[in-house]
């Protein structure tokens, strides 16, 4: 069982799977366009929820939401299934492959045998495409990898039913019906509006307000928790920003590419200028990550490092507040 499926590498797994599945159906839509229409830019800080003994910081919406928003805005039908039984999950996937249907899966990262050891950690919201099955195993298109690969049936079942937070429960999904005409222009505008509303929402832990809140916490953490725990918390922010699912810095560059593409579709030069501005903001997020990493690795010789990092984060919050106000006005 093998489908004539073309693998394209991408920066982010969910964007890549969405783009690759839709391209297979004849809808030529880029990764940045998927990300922008799906309102992939987000920020939330959840101090009451701990992962790896540190508060949760997320630079993206819940797994699955980006693709769900894209198909909803474009009028595409998408089927999703979860399973309690590994056997039933395998049978459903095999049935799709028999019918030449490449299928998206949510999987855990830790037991992906083709991942380098340094990238294998307990994160259960990774996305891949299965497009065939041979005597060796299942044919895998993982969009963050340069080439397709293979997982045995046992290996695939293990990652489909990974335990812990965001357990995939064998989840599989695939487009079932594509409209003859897609209103990309309307979807772009709706996606931008949702992103702006999310980032500018007047809630203390979400969007720009959430970034400001974390800035305040960084100033308090050394006295409240001590240096060791503070540095661990900083490491969590950097990991979520730069390593897990592309993260905040990388997302800014993808969003800049989306605005560049959207400016041509909508014939709106303001979006082209805002694309450049978002790239600059992305650079500053990367600078923050580098400086924070120096602190938690004890390689910084700067005085008053925690207030300095808090100032950087506060500046980023102010830049993004101005940016999203201008973006909302531009469309």
């Amino acid at each position: 069982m093998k489908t004539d499926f073309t693998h394209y590498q991408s920066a982010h797994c969910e964007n890549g799977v969405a783009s690759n599945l839709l391209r297979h159906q004849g809808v030529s839509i880029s990764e940045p366009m998927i990300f922008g229409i799906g309102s992939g830019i987000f920020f939330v800080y959840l101090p009451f929820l701990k992962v790896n003994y540190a508060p949760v910081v997320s630079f993206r919406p819940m797994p699955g939401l980006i693709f769900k928003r894209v198909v909803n805005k474009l009028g595409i039908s998408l089927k999703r299934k979860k399973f309690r039984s590994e056997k039933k999950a395998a049978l459903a996937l095999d049935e799709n492959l028999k019918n030449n249907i490449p299928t998206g899966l949510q999987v855990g990262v830790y037991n992906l045998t083709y991942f380098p050891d340094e990238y294998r950690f307990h994160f259960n919201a990774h996305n891949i495409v299965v497009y065939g099955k041979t005597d060796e195993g299942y044919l895998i298109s993982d969009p963050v990898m340069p080439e397709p690969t293979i997982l045995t049936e046992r290996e695939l079942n293990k990652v489909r039913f990974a335990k812990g937070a965001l357990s995939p429960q064998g989840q599989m999904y695939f487009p079932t019906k594509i409209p003859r005409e897609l209103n990309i222009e309307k979807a772009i505008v709706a996606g931008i509006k949702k992103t702006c509303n999310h980032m500018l929402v007047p809630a203390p832990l979400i969007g720009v307000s959430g970034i400001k809140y974390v800035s305040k916490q960084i100033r308090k953490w050394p006295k409240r928790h001590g240096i060791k725990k503070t540095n661990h918390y900083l490491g969590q922010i950097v990991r979520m920003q730069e390593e897990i699912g592309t993260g905040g810095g990388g997302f800014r560059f993808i969003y800049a590419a989306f605005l560049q593409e959207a400016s041509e579709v909508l014939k709106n030069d303001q979006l082209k200028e805002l694309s450049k501005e978002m790239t600059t903001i992305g650079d500053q997020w990367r600078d923050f990550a580098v400086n924070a990493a120096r602190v938690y690795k004890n390689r910084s010789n700067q005085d008053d490092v925690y207030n300095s990092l808090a100032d950087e984060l506060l500046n980023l919050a102010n830049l993004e507040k101005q940016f999203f106000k201008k973006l909302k006005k531009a469309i």
Side-chain angles (χ1 to χ4, degrees), residues 174-187:
F174 50 96
T176 57
K177 188 176 180 182
I178 310 289
R180 289 185 178 180
E181 293 185 9
L182 301 176
N183 193 333
I184 295 290
E185 293 87 349
K186 183 179 179 182

Side-chain angles (χ1 to χ4, degrees), residues 36-37 39 73 185-195 331:
I37 291 174
S39 303
K73 287 181 174 66
E185 293 87 349
K186 183 179 179 182
I188 288 171
V189 172
I192 290 174
K193 285 182 177 178
K194 184 179 282 291
T195 299
I331 51 95

Side-chain angles (χ1 to χ4, degrees), residues 198-215:
H198 283 171
M199 292 303 293
L200 297 173
V201 65
L205 303 179
I206 299 172
V208 169
S209 298
I211 300 171
K212 289 183 177 180
Y213 186 88
V214 174
S215 171

Side-chain angles (χ1 to χ4, degrees), residues 300-312:
S300 176
N301 56 10
Q302 185 179 356
D303 294 331
D304 202 16
V305 287
Y306 299 106
N307 279 324
S308 179
L309 287 173
D311 289 342
E312 281 189 68

